[in-house]
Amino acid sequence: MISGSSPFDGLPMFASDQDIAVAIVGKKAAGDWLKTRFPAIEKAPGFPKVDPLHGGRPVPLVKLFYDTYLHVPKAGRGMPDGEENEGAWKRSRQKA
């Protein structure tokens, strides 16, 4: 999400598969996605199981699964702010 928000932010800590599907593909596509795609993703390594005590899947773990699946960088590990390469810039100017 470009704005920094996540579609999972509005969900409770444990959510139904329907609610998770809406967060992932939107309300219009959720029903079809649950029937055609969800059975495969549900079996993927790392996708959380339904917690029997809470009756839903743990949303933080679903989000972690998708962050890993989509190779989303962890906070604080994005682009360097420039200080890390400061020496490299000085060296190249000194050679010129």
Side-chain angles (χ1 to χ4, degrees):
M1 310 276 87
I2 294 172
S3 67
S5 66
S6 166
F8 299 109
D9 288 348
L11 296 179
M13 186 176 287
F14 292 87
S16 70
D17 291 344
Q18 176 68 33
D19 290 339
I20 291 168
V22 170
I24 294 169
V25 297
K27 192 172 187 176
K28 187 175 179 180
D32 186 52
W33 186 84
L34 277 170
K35 291 177 196 166
T36 61
R37 308 283 184 195
F38 187 74
I41 203 95
E42 183 178 34
K43 295 175 188 169
F47 193 79
K49 306 285 184 216
V50 172
D51 181 282
L53 182 62
H54 297 93
R57 295 182 196 274
V59 172
L61 296 181
V62 173
K63 182 180 181 317
L64 178 63
F65 173 84
Y66 272 98
D67 285 350
T68 303
Y69 177 78
L70 298 172
H71 305 286
V72 174
K74 294 183 188 216
R77 295 182 61 198
M79 298 296 291
D81 62 8
E83 292 179 26
E84 294 84 354
N85 294 322
E86 189 174 310
W89 283 104
K90 287 181 182 177
R91 282 192 300 274
S92 65
R93 283 187 280 192
Q94 288 173 352
K95 290 180 182 180

Coordinates of all heavy atoms in Angstrom, one line a residue:
M1 N 0.8 -1.2 0.0 CA 0.0 0.0 0.0 C 0.9 1.2 0.0 O 1.7 1.4 0.9 CB -0.9 0.0 1.2 CG -1.7 -1.2 1.5 SD -3.2 -1.4 0.6 CE -2.7 -2.1 -0.9
I2 N 0.7 2.1 -0.9 CA 1.5 3.3 -1.1 C 1.3 4.2 0.1 O 2.2 4.8 0.6 CB 1.2 4.0 -2.4 CG1 1.7 3.1 -3.5 CG2 1.9 5.3 -2.5 CD1 1.3 3.5 -4.9
S3 N 0.1 4.4 0.6 CA -0.2 5.3 1.6 C 0.3 4.8 3.0 O 0.3 5.6 4.0 CB -1.7 5.5 1.7 OG -2.3 4.3 2.2
G4 N 0.8 3.6 3.1 CA 1.3 3.1 4.3 C 0.3 2.3 5.1 O 0.6 1.7 6.1
S5 N -1.0 2.4 4.7 CA -2.0 1.6 5.4 C -2.1 0.2 4.8 O -1.7 0.0 3.6 CB -3.3 2.3 5.4 OG -3.8 2.4 4.1
S6 N -2.7 -0.7 5.5 CA -2.8 -2.0 5.0 C -4.3 -2.4 5.0 O -5.1 -1.9 5.8 CB -2.1 -3.0 6.0 OG -2.5 -4.3 5.8
P7 N -4.7 -3.2 4.0 CA -6.1 -3.6 4.0 C -6.5 -4.5 5.2 O -7.7 -4.6 5.5 CB -6.3 -4.4 2.7 CG -4.9 -4.9 2.4 CD -4.0 -3.8 2.9
F8 N -5.5 -4.9 5.9 CA -5.8 -5.7 7.1 C -6.0 -4.9 8.3 O -6.4 -5.4 9.4 CB -4.6 -6.7 7.4 CG -4.4 -7.7 6.3 CD1 -3.2 -7.6 5.4 CD2 -5.2 -8.7 6.0 CE1 -3.0 -8.4 4.4 CE2 -5.0 -9.6 5.0 CZ -3.9 -9.5 4.2
D9 N -5.7 -3.6 8.2 CA -5.8 -2.7 9.4 C -7.2 -2.6 10.0 O -7.3 -2.5 11.2 CB -5.3 -1.3 9.1 CG -3.8 -1.2 8.9 OD1 -3.1 -2.2 9.2 OD2 -3.4 -0.2 8.3
G10 N -8.2 -2.8 9.2 CA -9.6 -2.7 9.7 C -10.2 -4.0 10.3 O -11.3 -4.0 10.7
L11 N -9.4 -5.1 10.2 CA -9.9 -6.4 10.6 C -9.6 -6.6 12.1 O -8.6 -6.0 12.7 CB -9.2 -7.5 9.8 CG -9.5 -7.5 8.3 CD1 -8.7 -8.7 7.7 CD2 -11.0 -7.7 8.1
P12 N -10.4 -7.4 12.8 CA -10.1 -7.8 14.1 C -8.8 -8.7 14.2 O -8.3 -9.1 13.1 CB -11.3 -8.6 14.6 CG -11.9 -9.1 13.3 CD -11.6 -8.1 12.3
M13 N -8.3 -9.0 15.3 CA -7.1 -9.8 15.4 C -7.3 -11.2 14.8 O -6.4 -11.7 14.2 CB -6.7 -9.9 16.9 CG -5.3 -10.6 17.0 SD -4.7 -10.7 18.7 CE -4.2 -9.0 19.0
F14 N -8.5 -11.8 15.0 CA -8.8 -13.0 14.4 C -10.0 -12.8 13.4 O -11.1 -12.3 13.9 CB -9.2 -14.1 15.4 CG -8.0 -14.5 16.3 CD1 -7.7 -13.7 17.4 CD2 -7.2 -15.6 15.9 CE1 -6.6 -14.1 18.2 CE2 -6.1 -15.9 16.7 CZ -5.8 -15.2 17.8
A15 N -9.8 -13.1 12.2 CA -10.9 -12.8 11.2 C -11.3 -14.1 10.4 O -10.6 -15.0 10.3 CB -10.4 -11.8 10.2
S16 N -12.5 -14.0 9.9 CA -13.0 -15.1 9.1 C -12.3 -15.1 7.7 O -11.8 -14.1 7.3 CB -14.5 -14.9 8.9 OG -14.8 -13.8 8.0
D17 N -12.4 -16.2 7.0 CA -11.9 -16.3 5.7 C -12.5 -15.3 4.7 O -11.9 -14.7 3.9 CB -12.0 -17.7 5.1 CG -11.1 -18.7 5.9 OD1 -10.2 -18.3 6.6 OD2 -11.3 -19.9 5.7
Q18 N -13.8 -15.1 4.9 CA -14.5 -14.1 4.1 C -14.0 -12.7 4.3 O -13.7 -12.0 3.3 CB -16.0 -14.1 4.4 CG -16.8 -13.1 3.7 CD -16.9 -13.3 2.2 OE1 -17.0 -14.4 1.7 NE2 -17.0 -12.2 1.4
D19 N -13.8 -12.3 5.5 CA -13.2 -11.0 5.8 C -11.8 -10.8 5.3 O -11.4 -9.8 4.8 CB -13.2 -10.7 7.3 CG -14.6 -10.5 7.9 OD1 -15.6 -10.2 7.1 OD2 -14.8 -10.7 9.1
I20 N -11.0 -11.9 5.4 CA -9.7 -11.9 4.9 C -9.7 -11.7 3.4 O -8.9 -11.0 2.8 CB -8.9 -13.1 5.4 CG1 -8.6 -13.0 6.9 CG2 -7.6 -13.3 4.6 CD1 -8.1 -14.2 7.6
A21 N -10.6 -12.5 2.7 CA -10.7 -12.4 1.3 C -11.0 -11.0 0.8 O -10.5 -10.5 -0.2 CB -11.7 -13.4 0.8
V22 N -12.0 -10.4 1.5 CA -12.3 -9.0 1.1 C -11.1 -8.1 1.3 O -10.9 -7.2 0.4 CB -13.5 -8.5 2.0 CG1 -13.8 -7.0 1.8 CG2 -14.8 -9.3 1.6
A23 N -10.3 -8.3 2.3 CA -9.2 -7.4 2.5 C -8.1 -7.7 1.4 O -7.4 -6.7 1.0 CB -8.5 -7.7 3.9
I24 N -8.0 -8.9 0.9 CA -7.0 -9.2 -0.1 C -7.4 -8.8 -1.5 O -6.6 -8.2 -2.2 CB -6.7 -10.7 0.0 CG1 -6.0 -11.0 1.3 CG2 -5.8 -11.1 -1.2 CD1 -5.9 -12.5 1.6
V25 N -8.6 -9.2 -1.9 CA -9.0 -8.9 -3.3 C -10.2 -8.0 -3.5 O -10.6 -7.8 -4.6 CB -9.3 -10.3 -4.0 CG1 -8.0 -11.1 -4.1 CG2 -10.4 -11.0 -3.4
G26 N -10.8 -7.5 -2.4 CA -12.0 -6.7 -2.5 C -13.3 -7.4 -2.4 O -13.3 -8.6 -2.7
K27 N -14.3 -6.7 -2.1 CA -15.6 -7.3 -1.8 C -16.2 -8.0 -3.1 O -16.7 -9.1 -3.0 CB -16.6 -6.2 -1.4 CG -17.9 -6.8 -0.8 CD -18.7 -5.7 -0.2 CE -19.9 -6.2 0.5 NZ -20.7 -5.2 1.2
K28 N -16.0 -7.3 -4.3 CA -16.6 -7.9 -5.5 C -16.0 -9.2 -5.9 O -16.7 -10.1 -6.4 CB -16.3 -6.8 -6.6 CG -17.0 -7.2 -7.9 CD -16.8 -6.0 -8.9 CE -17.5 -6.4 -10.2 NZ -17.3 -5.3 -11.2
A29 N -14.7 -9.4 -5.7 CA -14.0 -10.6 -6.1 C -13.8 -11.7 -5.0 O -13.4 -12.8 -5.3 CB -12.6 -10.2 -6.7
A30 N -14.2 -11.3 -3.8 CA -13.9 -12.2 -2.6 C -14.6 -13.6 -2.8 O -13.9 -14.6 -2.5 CB -14.4 -11.5 -1.3
G31 N -15.8 -13.6 -3.2 CA -16.5 -14.9 -3.3 C -15.9 -15.9 -4.3 O -15.6 -17.1 -3.9
D32 N -15.5 -15.4 -5.4 CA -14.9 -16.2 -6.4 C -13.5 -16.6 -6.0 O -13.1 -17.7 -6.2 CB -14.8 -15.4 -7.8 CG -14.2 -16.3 -8.9 OD1 -14.8 -17.4 -9.1 OD2 -13.3 -15.9 -9.5
W33 N -12.7 -15.7 -5.4 CA -11.4 -15.9 -4.9 C -11.4 -17.0 -3.8 O -10.6 -17.9 -3.8 CB -10.8 -14.7 -4.3 CG -9.3 -14.8 -3.9 CD1 -8.2 -14.7 -4.7 CD2 -8.8 -15.0 -2.6 NE1 -7.1 -14.9 -4.0 CE2 -7.4 -15.1 -2.7 CE3 -9.5 -15.2 -1.4 CZ2 -6.6 -15.3 -1.6 CZ3 -8.6 -15.4 -0.3 CH2 -7.3 -15.5 -0.4
L34 N -12.4 -17.0 -2.9 CA -12.5 -18.0 -1.9 C -12.7 -19.4 -2.5 O -12.2 -20.4 -2.0 CB -13.7 -17.7 -0.9 CG -13.3 -16.7 0.2 CD1 -14.6 -16.3 0.9 CD2 -12.3 -17.3 1.2
K35 N -13.5 -19.5 -3.6 CA -13.8 -20.8 -4.2 C -12.6 -21.3 -5.0 O -12.3 -22.5 -5.0 CB -15.0 -20.7 -5.1 CG -16.3 -20.5 -4.3 CD -17.4 -20.3 -5.3 CE -18.6 -19.7 -4.6 NZ -19.6 -19.2 -5.6
T36 N -12.0 -20.4 -5.8 CA -11.0 -20.8 -6.8 C -9.5 -20.7 -6.3 O -8.7 -21.6 -6.6 CB -11.1 -20.0 -8.1 OG1 -10.9 -18.6 -7.8 CG2 -12.5 -20.2 -8.7
R37 N -9.2 -19.7 -5.5 CA -7.8 -19.5 -5.2 C -7.4 -19.8 -3.7 O -6.3 -20.3 -3.4 CB -7.4 -18.0 -5.4 CG -7.7 -17.5 -6.7 CD -6.7 -18.0 -7.7 NE -7.0 -17.4 -9.0 CZ -6.5 -17.8 -10.1 NH1 -5.7 -18.8 -10.1 NH2 -6.8 -17.2 -11.2
F38 N -8.4 -19.6 -2.8 CA -8.1 -19.8 -1.4 C -7.7 -21.2 -1.0 O -6.9 -21.4 -0.2 CB -9.3 -19.4 -0.6 CG -9.1 -19.4 0.9 CD1 -8.3 -18.4 1.5 CD2 -9.6 -20.4 1.7 CE1 -8.0 -18.5 2.8 CE2 -9.3 -20.4 3.1 CZ -8.5 -19.4 3.6
P39 N -8.3 -22.3 -1.7 CA -7.9 -23.6 -1.3 C -6.4 -23.9 -1.5 O -5.8 -24.6 -0.7 CB -8.7 -24.5 -2.2 CG -10.0 -23.7 -2.5 CD -9.5 -22.3 -2.6
A40 N -5.8 -23.2 -2.5 CA -4.4 -23.4 -2.7 C -3.6 -22.6 -1.7 O -2.6 -23.1 -1.1 CB -4.0 -23.0 -4.1
I41 N -4.0 -21.4 -1.5 CA -3.2 -20.5 -0.6 C -3.3 -21.0 0.9 O -2.4 -20.9 1.7 CB -3.6 -19.0 -0.7 CG1 -2.5 -18.1 -0.2 CG2 -4.9 -18.7 0.1 CD1 -1.7 -17.6 -1.3
E42 N -4.4 -21.6 1.2 CA -4.7 -22.1 2.5 C -3.7 -23.3 2.9 O -3.3 -23.5 4.0 CB -6.1 -22.7 2.7 CG -6.5 -23.2 4.0 CD -7.9 -23.6 4.1 OE1 -8.4 -24.1 3.0 OE2 -8.5 -23.4 5.1
K43 N -3.2 -24.0 1.8 CA -2.3 -25.1 2.0 C -0.8 -24.6 1.9 O 0.1 -25.4 2.1 CB -2.6 -26.2 1.0 CG -3.9 -26.8 1.1 CD -4.2 -27.8 0.0 CE -5.6 -28.3 0.1 NZ -6.0 -29.0 -1.1
A44 N -0.6 -23.4 1.5 CA 0.8 -22.9 1.4 C 1.5 -22.9 2.7 O 0.9 -22.6 3.7 CB 0.7 -21.5 0.8
P45 N 2.8 -23.2 2.7 CA 3.6 -23.1 3.9 C 3.6 -21.7 4.5 O 3.8 -20.8 3.8 CB 5.0 -23.5 3.5 CG 4.9 -24.2 2.1 CD 3.6 -23.6 1.5
G46 N 3.3 -21.7 5.8 CA 3.3 -20.4 6.5 C 2.0 -19.7 6.6 O 1.8 -18.7 7.3
F47 N 1.0 -20.1 5.8 CA -0.3 -19.5 5.9 C -1.0 -20.0 7.2 O -1.1 -21.2 7.4 CB -1.2 -19.8 4.7 CG -2.4 -19.0 4.6 CD1 -2.3 -17.7 4.1 CD2 -3.7 -19.4 5.0 CE1 -3.5 -16.8 4.1 CE2 -4.8 -18.6 5.0 CZ -4.7 -17.3 4.5
P48 N -1.4 -19.1 8.0 CA -1.9 -19.5 9.4 C -3.2 -20.3 9.3 O -4.1 -20.1 8.4 CB -2.1 -18.2 10.1 CG -2.3 -17.2 9.1 CD -1.5 -17.7 7.9
K49 N -3.3 -21.2 10.2 CA -4.6 -22.0 10.3 C -5.6 -21.3 11.1 O -5.3 -20.3 11.8 CB -4.2 -23.3 11.1 CG -3.1 -24.2 10.5 CD -3.6 -24.9 9.2 CE -2.5 -25.7 8.7 NZ -2.4 -25.8 7.2
V50 N -6.8 -21.7 11.1 CA -7.9 -21.1 11.9 C -7.6 -21.5 13.3 O -7.3 -22.7 13.7 CB -9.3 -21.7 11.5 CG1 -10.4 -21.3 12.5 CG2 -9.6 -21.2 10.1
D51 N -7.6 -20.5 14.2 CA -7.4 -20.8 15.6 C -8.7 -21.3 16.2 O -9.8 -20.6 16.2 CB -7.0 -19.5 16.3 CG -6.7 -19.6 17.8 OD1 -7.7 -19.7 18.5 OD2 -5.6 -19.7 18.2
P52 N -8.8 -22.5 16.7 CA -10.0 -23.1 17.2 C -10.6 -22.3 18.4 O -11.9 -22.3 18.6 CB -9.7 -24.5 17.6 CG -8.2 -24.5 17.7 CD -7.7 -23.4 16.9
L53 N -9.8 -21.7 19.2 CA -10.3 -20.9 20.4 C -11.0 -19.6 19.9 O -12.0 -19.2 20.5 CB -9.2 -20.6 21.3 CG -9.5 -19.9 22.6 CD1 -10.5 -20.7 23.5 CD2 -8.3 -19.6 23.4
H54 N -10.5 -19.0 18.9 CA -11.1 -17.7 18.5 C -12.0 -17.8 17.2 O -12.6 -16.8 16.9 CB -9.9 -16.7 18.2 CG -9.1 -16.4 19.4 ND1 -8.0 -17.1 19.7 CD2 -9.3 -15.5 20.4 CE1 -7.5 -16.7 20.9 NE2 -8.3 -15.7 21.3
G55 N -11.9 -18.9 16.5 CA -12.8 -19.1 15.4 C -12.4 -18.3 14.1 O -13.3 -18.1 13.3
G56 N -11.2 -17.9 14.0 CA -10.7 -17.2 12.9 C -9.2 -17.3 12.7 O -8.6 -17.9 13.5
R57 N -8.7 -16.8 11.6 CA -7.3 -16.8 11.4 C -6.6 -15.6 12.0 O -7.2 -14.5 12.0 CB -7.0 -16.8 9.9 CG -7.5 -18.1 9.3 CD -7.1 -18.2 7.8 NE -7.9 -19.2 7.2 CZ -7.6 -20.5 7.1 NH1 -6.5 -20.9 7.6 NH2 -8.4 -21.4 6.5
P58 N -5.4 -15.7 12.6 CA -4.8 -14.6 13.2 C -4.3 -13.6 12.1 O -3.4 -13.9 11.3 CB -3.6 -15.2 14.0 CG -3.4 -16.5 13.4 CD -4.7 -17.0 12.8
V59 N -4.9 -12.4 12.1 CA -4.7 -11.5 11.0 C -3.2 -11.0 11.0 O -2.7 -10.9 9.9 CB -5.6 -10.3 11.2 CG1 -5.3 -9.1 10.2 CG2 -7.1 -10.7 10.9
P60 N -2.5 -10.8 12.1 CA -1.1 -10.4 12.0 C -0.3 -11.4 11.2 O 0.7 -11.1 10.5 CB -0.7 -10.3 13.4 CG -1.9 -10.0 14.2 CD -3.0 -10.7 13.5
L61 N -0.6 -12.7 11.4 CA 0.1 -13.8 10.7 C -0.3 -13.8 9.2 O 0.6 -14.2 8.4 CB -0.1 -15.1 11.4 CG 0.5 -15.2 12.8 CD1 0.2 -16.6 13.4 CD2 1.9 -14.8 12.9
V62 N -1.5 -13.5 8.9 CA -1.9 -13.5 7.5 C -1.2 -12.3 6.8 O -0.6 -12.5 5.7 CB -3.4 -13.3 7.4 CG1 -3.8 -13.1 5.9 CG2 -4.2 -14.5 7.9
K63 N -1.1 -11.2 7.5 CA -0.4 -10.0 6.9 C 1.1 -10.4 6.8 O 1.7 -10.1 5.7 CB -0.5 -8.8 7.9 CG 0.2 -7.6 7.3 CD 0.0 -6.4 8.2 CE 0.6 -5.2 7.7 NZ 1.9 -5.3 7.1
L64 N 1.7 -11.0 7.8 CA 3.1 -11.4 7.7 C 3.3 -12.4 6.5 O 4.3 -12.3 5.7 CB 3.6 -12.1 9.0 CG 5.0 -12.6 9.0 CD1 6.0 -11.5 8.8 CD2 5.3 -13.3 10.3
F65 N 2.4 -13.3 6.3 CA 2.5 -14.3 5.2 C 2.5 -13.5 3.9 O 3.4 -13.7 3.0 CB 1.3 -15.2 5.2 CG 1.2 -16.1 4.0 CD1 1.9 -17.2 3.9 CD2 0.4 -15.7 2.9 CE1 1.9 -18.0 2.7 CE2 0.4 -16.5 1.7 CZ 1.1 -17.7 1.7
Y66 N 1.6 -12.5 3.7 CA 1.6 -11.8 2.4 C 2.7 -10.8 2.3 O 3.2 -10.6 1.2 CB 0.2 -11.0 2.3 CG -0.8 -11.9 1.6 CD1 -1.7 -12.6 2.4 CD2 -0.8 -12.1 0.3 CE1 -2.6 -13.5 1.8 CE2 -1.7 -13.0 -0.4 CZ -2.6 -13.6 0.4 OH -3.5 -14.5 -0.2
D67 N 3.2 -10.2 3.4 CA 4.4 -9.4 3.3 C 5.6 -10.2 2.8 O 6.4 -9.8 2.0 CB 4.8 -8.8 4.7 CG 3.8 -7.7 5.1 OD1 3.0 -7.2 4.2 OD2 3.9 -7.2 6.2
T68 N 5.7 -11.4 3.3 CA 6.8 -12.3 2.8 C 6.6 -12.8 1.4 O 7.5 -12.7 0.6 CB 6.9 -13.6 3.8 OG1 7.1 -13.1 5.1 CG2 8.0 -14.5 3.4
Y69 N 5.4 -13.1 1.1 CA 5.0 -13.6 -0.3 C 5.3 -12.5 -1.3 O 5.8 -12.8 -2.4 CB 3.5 -14.0 -0.3 CG 3.0 -14.4 -1.6 CD1 3.2 -15.7 -2.1 CD2 2.2 -13.5 -2.4 CE1 2.7 -16.0 -3.4 CE2 1.7 -13.9 -3.6 CZ 1.9 -15.2 -4.1 OH 1.4 -15.5 -5.3
L70 N 5.0 -11.3 -1.0 CA 5.1 -10.1 -1.9 C 6.5 -9.5 -1.8 O 6.8 -8.5 -2.4 CB 4.0 -9.1 -1.7 CG 2.6 -9.6 -1.9 CD1 1.6 -8.5 -1.5 CD2 2.4 -9.9 -3.4
H71 N 7.4 -10.0 -0.9 CA 8.7 -9.4 -0.6 C 8.6 -8.0 -0.2 O 9.4 -7.1 -0.7 CB 9.6 -9.6 -1.9 CG 9.7 -11.0 -2.4 ND1 10.4 -11.9 -1.7 CD2 9.1 -11.6 -3.4 CE1 10.3 -13.1 -2.4 NE2 9.5 -12.9 -3.4
V72 N 7.7 -7.7 0.7 CA 7.6 -6.3 1.2 C 8.7 -6.1 2.2 O 8.9 -6.9 3.1 CB 6.2 -6.1 1.9 CG1 6.2 -4.7 2.6 CG2 5.1 -6.3 0.9
P73 N 9.5 -5.0 2.0 CA 10.6 -4.8 3.0 C 10.1 -4.5 4.3 O 9.1 -3.8 4.5 CB 11.4 -3.6 2.4 CG 10.4 -3.0 1.4 CD 9.4 -4.0 1.0
K74 N 10.9 -4.9 5.4 CA 10.5 -4.5 6.7 C 10.8 -3.1 7.0 O 11.6 -2.4 6.4 CB 11.3 -5.4 7.7 CG 11.0 -6.8 7.6 CD 11.8 -7.6 8.6 CE 11.6 -9.1 8.3 NZ 11.4 -10.0 9.2
A75 N 10.0 -2.5 7.9 CA 10.2 -1.1 8.2 C 11.6 -0.8 8.7 O 12.2 -1.6 9.4 CB 9.2 -0.7 9.3
G76 N 12.1 0.3 8.2 CA 13.5 0.6 8.6 C 14.6 0.0 7.8 O 15.7 0.3 8.0
R77 N 14.2 -0.8 6.8 CA 15.2 -1.5 5.9 C 15.0 -1.0 4.5 O 15.4 -1.7 3.6 CB 15.0 -3.0 6.1 CG 15.3 -3.5 7.4 CD 15.3 -5.0 7.5 NE 16.2 -5.6 6.6 CZ 16.2 -6.8 6.2 NH1 15.2 -7.6 6.6 NH2 17.0 -7.3 5.3
G78 N 14.4 0.1 4.3 CA 14.2 0.6 2.9 C 15.5 1.3 2.4 O 16.6 0.8 2.6
M79 N 15.3 2.3 1.6 CA 16.4 3.0 1.0 C 17.3 3.7 2.0 O 16.8 4.3 3.0 CB 15.9 4.0 0.0 CG 15.0 3.4 -1.1 SD 16.0 2.3 -2.2 CE 17.1 3.5 -3.0
P80 N 18.6 3.7 1.8 CA 19.5 4.4 2.7 C 19.2 5.9 2.7 O 18.8 6.4 1.6 CB 20.9 4.0 2.3 CG 20.7 3.5 0.9 CD 19.3 3.0 0.7
D81 N 19.4 6.6 3.8 CA 19.2 8.0 3.8 C 20.3 8.8 3.3 O 20.3 10.0 3.3 CB 18.8 8.5 5.2 CG 19.9 8.2 6.2 OD1 21.0 7.8 5.9 OD2 19.6 8.4 7.4
G82 N 21.4 8.2 2.9 CA 22.6 8.9 2.4 C 23.8 8.8 3.2 O 24.9 8.9 2.8
E83 N 23.6 8.7 4.5 CA 24.8 8.7 5.4 C 25.6 7.4 5.2 O 26.8 7.5 5.3 CB 24.3 8.7 6.9 CG 23.7 10.1 7.3 CD 23.2 10.1 8.7 OE1 23.8 9.3 9.5 OE2 22.3 10.8 9.0
E84 N 25.0 6.3 4.8 CA 25.7 5.1 4.6 C 26.7 5.2 3.5 O 27.7 4.6 3.5 CB 24.8 3.9 4.4 CG 23.9 3.6 5.5 CD 22.6 4.4 5.6 OE1 22.5 5.4 4.8 OE2 21.8 4.2 6.4
N85 N 26.4 6.0 2.5 CA 27.2 6.1 1.3 C 28.0 7.4 1.3 O 28.7 7.7 0.3 CB 26.4 6.0 0.0 CG 25.7 4.7 -0.1 OD1 26.3 3.7 0.2 ND2 24.5 4.7 -0.6
E86 N 28.0 8.1 2.4 CA 28.7 9.4 2.4 C 30.2 9.3 2.0 O 30.7 10.1 1.2 CB 28.6 10.1 3.7 CG 29.0 11.5 3.8 CD 28.7 12.2 5.1 OE1 27.6 12.1 5.6 OE2 29.7 12.7 5.7
G87 N 30.8 8.3 2.5 CA 32.3 8.1 2.2 C 32.5 7.8 0.8 O 33.5 8.2 0.2
A88 N 31.6 7.0 0.2 CA 31.8 6.7 -1.3 C 31.7 8.0 -2.1 O 32.4 8.1 -3.1 CB 30.7 5.7 -1.7
W89 N 30.8 8.9 -1.8 CA 30.7 10.1 -2.5 C 32.0 11.0 -2.4 O 32.5 11.5 -3.3 CB 29.5 11.0 -2.1 CG 28.2 10.4 -2.6 CD1 27.3 9.7 -1.9 CD2 27.7 10.5 -3.9 NE1 26.3 9.4 -2.7 CE2 26.5 9.9 -3.9 CE3 28.2 11.1 -5.1 CZ2 25.7 9.8 -5.1 CZ3 27.4 11.0 -6.2 CH2 26.2 10.4 -6.2
K90 N 32.5 11.0 -1.2 CA 33.8 11.8 -1.0 C 34.9 11.2 -1.7 O 35.7 11.9 -2.3 CB 34.1 11.9 0.5 CG 33.1 12.8 1.3 CD 33.5 12.8 2.7 CE 32.5 13.7 3.5 NZ 32.8 13.7 4.9
R91 N 35.0 9.8 -1.7 CA 36.1 9.2 -2.4 C 36.0 9.5 -3.9 O 37.0 9.8 -4.6 CB 36.1 7.7 -2.2 CG 36.6 7.3 -0.8 CD 36.8 5.8 -0.7 NE 35.6 5.0 -0.9 CZ 34.8 4.7 0.0 NH1 35.0 5.1 1.3 NH2 33.7 4.0 -0.2
S92 N 34.8 9.4 -4.5 CA 34.7 9.6 -5.9 C 35.1 11.0 -6.3 O 35.6 11.3 -7.4 CB 33.3 9.2 -6.5 OG 32.4 10.1 -5.9
R93 N 34.7 12.0 -5.5 CA 35.1 13.4 -5.8 C 36.6 13.6 -5.6 O 37.1 14.4 -6.4 CB 34.3 14.3 -4.8 CG 32.8 14.5 -5.3 CD 32.2 15.5 -4.4 NE 31.9 14.9 -3.2 CZ 31.1 15.4 -2.2 NH1 30.6 16.6 -2.4 NH2 30.8 14.8 -1.1
Q94 N 37.2 12.9 -4.7 CA 38.6 13.1 -4.5 C 39.4 12.6 -5.7 O 40.4 13.2 -6.1 CB 39.1 12.4 -3.2 CG 38.6 13.1 -2.0 CD 38.9 12.3 -0.7 OE1 39.3 11.2 -0.8 NE2 38.7 12.9 0.4
K95 N 38.9 11.5 -6.3 CA 39.6 11.0 -7.5 C 39.4 11.8 -8.7 O 40.3 11.8 -9.6 CB 39.1 9.5 -7.8 CG 39.5 8.5 -6.8 CD 38.9 7.2 -7.1 CE 39.2 6.2 -6.1 NZ 38.7 4.8 -6.4
A96 N 38.4 12.6 -8.8 CA 38.1 13.3 -10.0 C 38.9 14.5 -10.2 O 39.8 15.0 -9.7 CB 36.6 13.8 -10.0

